[in-house]
Amino acid sequence: MMLRTSVAIVGGGFSGVMVAAHLSRRLDDGASVTLIEPDTLGKGAAYGTRYREHLLNTRAGAMSAFDAEPDHFVRWLGSRGTAEQFVSRVLYGEYLSDIARQLFARPRFVHVRSAVMGIRALENGHFSIETDCRTHFDAELLVLATGTPLPSADFLPPDVKCHPGYVSDPWRFDYRNVRGHVLLAGSGLTALDVLVALEACGNRCTVHVVSRHGRFPQVHAAKPLPYDVVPALDPSCARTLLRSFRRHLCAAERRGFDWRAVVDAIRPESEALWRRLSVAERRRFDRHVRSHWERVRHRAPQAVDAVRRRYAEEGRLRVHPGRIVDARGGDVTVSCSDGTCVRLRPDWIFNCTGIGRSHTFGLDPQEHAGGLWLTGALLRGKRFESTAVPELRVIAEHVAGEIVRALRVRVSLTG
């Protein structure tokens, strides 16, 4: 069966839903939108968790789905939370699902509960999309919003991935049956998510954490006084950018500002700074600076870090700075940064290394090319920030605007 649509959106997480939401406000009569997503809309990797203890890493007041309506989420919350709180990600998933429910009750907006198996670019400039229910769609324009890919496992020894307790997707896992010793590969926000889920399920196991530096994300403080200066950073190269950032930190500290205020002040300027770096300098930043920036930029709520502290204070958290170098017969060998080796025998291994490689169905992975737009995590590497709501909502609105203009051009050419 072949069905036609003006716009097809592949992926129904935050970015897919928000592109559709902006299209609903701006599309001319007669245009149709088909969003293809097998699961509940709005509940991707981040907001599809079953654990209410998983919190947003940003205060509710900054999490509106609409950039022009900054209090939209807080108004939706009502008595369930305030602008200053780090509310449950379950609630945020419900918020996005509510937006989607209203959106797809409209005429010519359709949610197809299927998985996409393949996409082909056609000679007439359209796209042919094949789903797992053997339905094909002919789309004039296409948006890929496939969401957060699973953590990369390329760096892990093959036997780790063959371990009976290996978990490649820590975001959608049911932790209720986890018993025995646990090994976390990675120490970022995903590792904290695992600790929170384990505690929520009453797990009393010992958790070993292996990461290159053995450092966890920084923690949000009480809301700091906003920095009263727009930091003038030097993006001549990655090194000068870092040096100028450190100078601002020192100057802010001398004036009594918290370092978090400086980081937050840089955020609106970060994309422009990133685009002024050469490709070579962006790669250097990614190799040497990105992981440190992520620790201070993507911070954890105090309630989440309190879980980590409880594990540590009870002697159930062991951190090993280093990397996994071997896995045989159930034993895992860690080469530590101090030159020693540690042999562990975990019952469970969770891949917590964060966002992996994105899938573009073999299409040219450009941000926008020939009737195709990428959004969300697919833009990693092309944009400095492409995984957090304050940036994603702006990108979604921009993509929707470009699609509306493209459709109007096509109508004028054929009319």
Side-chain angles (χ1 to χ4, degrees):
M1 180 187 299
M2 175 68 77
L3 302 175
R4 299 186 183 279
T5 186
S6 305
V7 183
I9 302 172
V10 178
F14 179 91
S15 291
V17 167
M18 292 315 301
V19 169
H22 285 291
L23 287 175
S24 74
R25 297 180 171 191
R26 302 175 66 174
L27 272 183
D28 298 329
D29 291 342
S32 57
V33 175
T34 301
L35 191 153
I36 307 172
E37 166 61 55
D39 299 319
T40 303
L41 295 182
K43 296 192 176 183
Y47 312 121
T49 177
R50 68 184 70 199
Y51 301 102
R52 290 194 170 267
E53 293 84 355
H54 281 154
L55 305 180
L56 294 173
N57 297 315
T58 302
R59 291 178 171 85
M63 289 295 287
S64 170
F66 298 96
D67 194 52
E69 301 175 53
D71 64 341
H72 190 270
F73 177 48
V74 174
R75 284 191 285 109
W76 181 90
L77 278 173
S79 62
R80 291 172 292 184
T82 68
E84 296 304 313
Q85 288 181 308
F86 298 93
V87 301
S88 172
R89 298 211 301 261
V90 171
L91 272 177
Y92 199 75
E94 293 172 1
Y95 165 63
L96 296 178
S97 293
D98 193 40
I99 292 173
R101 276 192 298 272
Q102 298 176 47
L103 170 64
F104 285 94
R106 299 168 59 96
R108 298 184 300 280
F109 277 72
V110 179
H111 171 207
V112 176
R113 290 181 175 273
S114 298
V116 171
M117 306 305 291
I119 301 174
R120 287 189 303 115
L122 303 178
E123 291 182 0
N124 64 357
H126 290 198
F127 297 88
S128 174
I129 306 166
E130 178 186 1
T131 70
D132 60 356
C133 61
R134 298 185 178 179
T135 300
H136 288 72
F137 291 88
D138 180 306
E140 290 185 53
L141 304 175
L142 174 63
V143 179
L144 292 185
T146 51
T148 306
L150 295 181
S152 173
D154 294 347
F155 69 99
L156 293 173
D159 280 1
V160 169
K161 291 172 277 187
C162 296
H163 189 284
Y166 176 70
V167 177
S168 62
D169 185 353
W171 299 310
R172 300 172 182 86
F173 190 72
D174 185 348
Y175 289 84
R176 288 175 293 183
N177 295 322
V178 175
R179 297 291 183 271
H181 295 296
V182 171
L183 172 60
L184 308 184
S187 60
L189 290 171
T190 302
L192 294 179
D193 275 353
V194 174
L195 291 176
V196 167
L198 290 172
E199 184 180 75
C201 292
N203 188 288
R204 305 291 299 172
C205 62
T206 298
V207 178
H208 295 267
V209 178
V210 177
S211 72
R212 185 170 55 174
H213 300 293
R215 299 180 186 137
F216 290 93
Q218 290 284 357
V219 182
H220 284 284
K223 193 170 185 180
L225 181 69
Y227 197 34
D228 60 356
V229 174
V230 177
L233 304 188
D234 182 356
S236 303
C237 66
R239 181 172 293 177
T240 59
L241 184 63
L242 180 60
R243 285 175 176 170
S244 58
F245 171 62
R246 286 173 172 166
R247 284 198 297 271
H248 266 283
L249 287 181
C250 292
E253 184 178 0
R254 287 195 297 270
R255 298 178 57 223
F257 286 94
D258 187 275
W259 61 267
R260 297 167 183 83
V262 181
V263 172
D264 294 344
I266 289 170
R267 182 171 181 173
E269 311 298 322
S270 60
E271 189 63 36
L273 291 167
W274 178 251
R275 291 185 180 275
R276 289 171 64 186
L277 289 174
S278 68
V279 173
E281 288 302 318
R282 291 181 193 179
R283 289 173 179 161
R284 175 184 283 185
F285 183 94
D286 282 339
R287 284 196 308 271
H288 302 295
V289 182
R290 171 78 74 168
S291 62
H292 302 289
W293 170 256
E294 298 286 348
R295 287 182 59 249
V296 300
R297 159 67 184 84
H298 297 287
R299 304 187 289 272
Q302 291 185 9
V304 170
D305 190 63
V307 175
R308 178 195 64 80
R309 294 198 307 271
R310 282 195 292 273
Y311 268 85
E313 290 164 1
E314 294 169 7
R316 295 187 290 121
L317 183 65
R318 314 284 174 78
V319 181
H320 309 281
R323 58 191 180 93
I324 299 172
V325 293
D326 194 20
R328 298 182 187 180
D331 290 337
V332 174
T333 302
V334 178
S335 176
C336 299
S337 56
D338 62 3
T340 63
C341 284
V342 175
R343 181 168 292 178
L344 307 172
R345 193 173 182 83
D347 299 287
W348 295 87
I349 304 174
F350 290 90
N351 189 335
C352 299
T353 55
I355 299 173
R357 296 176 181 174
S358 299
H359 179 41
T360 59
F361 297 93
L363 298 170
D364 186 8
Q366 298 183 45
E367 188 169 336
H368 170 219
L372 166 67
W373 283 264
L374 307 183
T375 188
L378 290 171
L379 294 176
R380 290 184 77 223
K382 299 179 182 297
R383 288 179 176 254
F384 186 65
E385 290 276 8
S386 62
T387 59
V389 163
E391 286 75 31
L392 290 178
R393 65 192 179 200
V394 174
I395 295 171
E397 185 172 7
H398 173 73
V399 168
E402 289 199 340
I403 289 171
V404 170
R405 285 190 289 273
L407 285 173
R408 288 173 179 167
V409 167
R410 294 192 176 207
V411 169
S412 66
L413 290 176
T414 57

